[in-house]
């Protein structure tokens, strides 16, 4: 029952419904993400977590309308930003949305930066292209953006080239570019995976601080449960192209409802003090060979006969959680305390 004193939850800023992504392969058309649904509210960080090959990155690219260049398409689903449908928008309009309303930051920041131009030029050009401001204003604001992301001596460093920045500092530059047009949503895909531990902690803290300061919604994609625990309010766990569990972050860690989530938690060194680590047997199968029934059944320690033939749906499991497991009601899985 709704508490009348509780503020009503804000309408989602990003609403993804039934999103399916398909690629042509030598095995024919293959769905790499299927009927993915989630929402992200303003000021919230929503995490997508899973092993490599689970479909989390392709989902984020589909949200951005960016699977086309790599031969993919989204045959079904809806992506609404602030109530406006993004699927089907003309390419030019989508580019405008990607610059102005959605910022992006990826793992390999250096690859996204042009080595031939100073970082100041690259921030200023992004602002000129999307905001139509003068060269002079763009230059001034480029310095302000470098200050915002905590780059020391910003007025000097704005004239430097990408190779003059460390990995952590280059990732800060990417954040400056991602945020320079004041987007409502930041999509951060493994933003700290290539960084050392210190730079990783600094960049994560920076994203959190900027989110508080700017009221950003963040879609945070990572294979790293420790990072997800630090950063996210709610989390969806992906396996073989589907969301298998979704829950508020603390709930997910304390009381996983899906055997895959529980197995992931047991396989991570820093998520469970003192407990023996247990690797999940096998690997995520390739998309053209996803098994019938529950896609996790060949690796699941709790699988029953019916799991090989019956495909579970994603159903409510109490306390705002969703789970895709035929036996979820009967399993008592261990979490992390
Ligand atoms: Fe395991 Fe069966 Fe649940 Fe799939 S449906 S996660 S195989 S118990």
């Amino acid at each position: 029952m709704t508490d009348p004193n509780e503020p009503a939850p804000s309408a989602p800023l990003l609403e993804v419904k039934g999103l399916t992504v398909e690629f042509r392969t030598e095995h024919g058309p293959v769905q790499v993400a299927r009927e993915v649904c989630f929402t992200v509210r303003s000021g919230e960080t929503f995490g997508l977590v899973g092993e490599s090959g689970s479909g989390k990155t392709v989902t984020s690219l589909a949200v951005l309308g960016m699977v086309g260049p790599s031969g993919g398409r989204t045959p079904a689903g809806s992506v609404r930003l602030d109530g406006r449908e993004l699927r089907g928008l003309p390419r030019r309009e989508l580019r405008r949305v990607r610059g102005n309303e959605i910022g992006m930051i990826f793992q390999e920041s250096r690859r996204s930066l042009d080595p031939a131009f100073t970082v100041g030029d690259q921030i200023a050009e992004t602002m000129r292209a999307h905001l139509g401001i003068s060269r002079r204003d763009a230059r001034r604001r480029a310095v302000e953006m470098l200050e915002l992301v905590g780059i020391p001596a910003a007025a000097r460093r704005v004239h430097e080239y990408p190779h003059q920045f460390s990995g952590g500092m280059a990732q800060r530059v990417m954040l400056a570019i991602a945020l320079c047009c004041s987007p409502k949503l930041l999509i951060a895909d493994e933003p700290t995976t290539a960084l050392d531990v210190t730079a990783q902690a600094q960049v994560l803290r920076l994203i959190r601080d900027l989110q508080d300061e700017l009221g950003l919604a963040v879609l945070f994609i990572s294979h790293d449960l420790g990072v997800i625990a630090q950063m996210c309010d709610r989390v969806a766990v992906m396996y073989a192209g589907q969301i298998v569990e979704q829950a508020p972050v603390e709930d997910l860690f304390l009381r996983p409802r899906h055997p895959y989530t529980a197995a992931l938690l047991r396989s991570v060194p820093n998520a469970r003090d003192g407990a023996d680590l247990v690797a999940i047997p096998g690997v995520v199968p390739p998309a053209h060979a996803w098994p019938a029934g529950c896609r996790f059944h060949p690796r699941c320690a709790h699988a029953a006969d019916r799991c090989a033939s019956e495909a579970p749906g994603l159903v409510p499991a109490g306390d705002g959680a969703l789970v895709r497991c035929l036996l979820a009601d009967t399993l008592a899985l261990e979490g992390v305390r």
Side-chain angles (χ1 to χ4, degrees):
M1 202 168 104
T2 313
D3 179 347
N5 299 317
E6 283 276 316
S10 55
L13 175 70
L14 177 70
E15 194 168 15
V16 175
K17 265 194 199 161
L19 189 62
T20 295
V21 185
E22 186 176 280
F23 281 85
R24 268 184 210 291
T25 72
E26 59 188 18
H27 305 279
V30 164
Q31 289 185 351
V32 292
R34 187 170 158 78
E35 295 178 4
V36 174
C37 300
F38 61 88
T39 58
V40 190
R41 293 189 281 267
S42 293
E44 175 185 50
T45 300
F46 184 84
L48 280 181
V49 68
E51 290 166 285
S52 160
S54 60
K56 53 195 191 309
T57 288
V58 92
T59 298
S60 72
L61 290 175
V63 167
L64 291 161
M66 287 173 68
V67 290
S70 37
R73 63 184 205 105
T74 49
S78 154
V79 177
R80 286 182 172 271
L81 184 71
D82 236 352
R84 179 190 185 202
E85 179 62 55
L86 301 187
R87 280 196 65 225
L89 282 184
R91 230 180 262 176
R92 194 182 159 145
E93 182 57 15
L94 255 183
R95 267 203 301 273
R96 198 199 66 75
V97 169
R98 285 202 290 264
N100 288 26
E101 296 174 53
I102 307 179
M104 302 160 280
I105 175 171
F106 298 106
Q107 182 175 336
E108 293 287 348
S109 54
R110 263 180 223 284
R111 283 203 205 156
S112 318
L113 292 168
D114 189 330
F117 292 92
T118 67
V119 299
D121 281 340
Q122 294 182 60
I123 301 170
E125 275 317 302
T126 304
M127 281 192 281
R128 276 169 56 73
H130 287 279
L131 304 177
I133 60 177
S134 71
R135 193 175 296 272
R136 189 192 174 113
D137 281 349
R139 287 241 151 230
R140 179 178 50 76
R141 287 178 61 179
V143 176
E144 288 171 4
M145 287 311 299
L146 290 186
E147 285 169 348
L148 179 73
V149 297
I151 293 192
R156 172 172 60 77
R157 300 214 71 185
V158 77
H159 302 295
E160 294 183 354
Y161 291 84
H163 74 270
Q164 293 173 279
F165 288 76
S166 67
M169 285 292 158
Q171 204 58 316
R172 285 171 189 254
V173 171
M174 282 310 295
L175 259 180
I177 292 174
L179 301 179
C180 68
C181 299
S182 307
K184 304 166 193 167
L185 172 70
L186 175 69
I187 297 186
D189 188 352
E190 305 276 9
T192 58
T193 300
L195 303 180
D196 63 47
V197 177
T198 310
Q200 171 170 319
Q202 288 168 345
V203 169
L204 292 178
R205 192 174 322 121
L206 176 64
I207 293 175
R208 273 207 309 268
D209 291 349
L210 290 172
Q211 181 180 30
D212 286 348
E213 196 174 327
L214 308 173
L216 278 174
V218 180
L219 174 59
F220 197 96
I221 292 124
S222 180
H223 70 285
D224 185 331
L225 279 165
V227 170
I228 289 283
Q230 274 181 58
M231 295 298 291
C232 298
D233 300 300
R234 291 185 301 130
V235 190
V237 180
M238 287 196 76
Y239 183 80
Q242 295 178 318
I243 290 179
V244 295
E245 179 166 2
Q246 186 178 309
V249 71
E250 281 185 21
D251 199 28
L252 186 105
F253 277 73
L254 281 172
R255 196 158 61 97
R257 293 164 171 86
H258 194 281
Y260 178 60
T261 311
L264 267 186
L265 293 175
R266 281 199 307 275
S267 69
V268 175
N270 59 0
R272 190 170 191 200
D273 291 343
D276 289 339
L277 302 182
V278 184
I280 308 175
V283 292
V284 184
H288 68 270
W290 282 337
C294 170
R295 291 180 180 180
F296 187 54
H297 84 262
R299 304 174 75 190
C300 180
H302 304 274
D305 288 348
R306 60 189 282 227
C307 301
S309 55
E310 240 179 275
L314 188 66
V315 297
D319 300 327
L322 301 168
V323 66
R324 187 188 295 277
C325 171
L326 297 169
L327 308 183
D329 287 345
T330 59
L331 298 175
L333 302 169
E334 270 186 64
V336 178
R337 282 167 208 282

